[in-house]
Amino acid sequence: MSTPHWPQASNVELEDWGAGSNTLAGAPRASGKILSQNPDGSSECGLWSCTPGTRKVTFAADEFCHFLSGHGSYVHDNGEEIPVEAGTLVFFPAGWTGISIITQTLTKAFMCR
């Protein structure tokens, strides 16, 4: 079995994942690519990108994110604001809810479990 990897993440062609039904403002559209996924669906990792807009978000599973480009913020339902840009690392625990405000297309590497 070979080890899943992308030698150059910036060259990975992302697939259109659509607009989603959780849009609050603008017209955010997501795209991404899964690098690896456990057969039982218990974890996955890959790349995700989304164009500007505001969305309601709920993380169903623990998710670790390393933002690679763009600008925005996540605002928890309790008011905590987390600004994100290239280089930001965030761990969203399962059940985290709030809004995502993307001002410049965001791209992140992620791991969910």
Side-chain angles (χ1 to χ4, degrees):
M1 178 171 131
S2 63
T3 302
H5 73 287
W6 291 319
Q8 194 63 265
S10 61
N11 292 335
V12 173
E13 190 170 328
L14 303 181
E15 301 162 355
D16 183 9
W17 288 357
S21 60
N22 55 352
T23 298
L24 300 174
R29 189 164 191 90
S31 58
K33 184 94 173 183
I34 302 299
L35 173 63
S36 181
Q37 183 178 46
N38 278 356
D40 66 0
S42 62
S43 69
E44 68 180 13
C45 62
L47 293 173
W48 171 92
S49 187
C50 192
T51 60
T54 302
R55 304 173 306 119
K56 178 72 176 167
V57 293
T58 298
F59 289 85
D62 290 338
E63 184 170 326
F64 174 75
C65 305
H66 177 193
F67 289 87
L68 304 172
S69 63
H71 291 277
S73 63
Y74 286 79
V75 182
H76 190 275
D77 284 345
N78 69 10
E80 175 190 25
E81 184 173 355
I82 304 161
V84 294
E85 62 183 14
T88 302
L89 302 176
V90 182
F91 175 75
F92 294 102
W96 192 99
T97 60
I99 60 171
S100 167
I101 304 165
I102 300 172
T103 56
Q104 181 185 43
T105 298
L106 275 178
T107 301
K108 68 181 179 183
F110 68 90
M111 173 69 185
C112 298
R113 61 176 175 138

